[in-house]
mmCIF file of all heavy atoms in Angstrom:
data_model
loop_
_atom_site.group_PDB
_atom_site.id
_atom_site.type_symbol
_atom_site.label_atom_id
_atom_site.label_comp_id
_atom_site.label_asym_id
_atom_site.label_seq_id
_atom_site.Cartn_x
_atom_site.Cartn_y
_atom_site.Cartn_z
ATOM 1 N N VAL D 45 15.237 12.461 -11.010
ATOM 2 C CA VAL D 45 14.059 13.187 -11.478
ATOM 3 C C VAL D 45 12.945 12.184 -11.731
ATOM 4 O O VAL D 45 13.167 11.128 -12.325
ATOM 5 C CB VAL D 45 14.377 13.957 -12.779
ATOM 6 C CG1 VAL D 45 13.142 14.653 -13.328
ATOM 7 C CG2 VAL D 45 15.491 14.955 -12.541
ATOM 8 N N SER D 57 -3.541 -8.669 3.152
ATOM 9 C CA SER D 57 -4.424 -9.552 3.899
ATOM 10 C C SER D 57 -3.590 -10.324 4.907
ATOM 11 O O SER D 57 -2.590 -10.941 4.547
ATOM 12 C CB SER D 57 -5.131 -10.525 2.945
ATOM 13 O OG SER D 57 -5.945 -11.406 3.680
ATOM 14 N N VAL D 88 -19.922 -26.498 7.817
ATOM 15 C CA VAL D 88 -18.767 -26.476 6.919
ATOM 16 C C VAL D 88 -18.974 -25.457 5.804
ATOM 17 O O VAL D 88 -18.090 -24.647 5.504
ATOM 18 C CB VAL D 88 -18.491 -27.883 6.336
ATOM 19 C CG1 VAL D 88 -17.473 -27.821 5.216
ATOM 20 C CG2 VAL D 88 -18.027 -28.832 7.434
#
Side-chain angles (χ1 to χ4, degrees):
V45 177
S57 178
V88 169

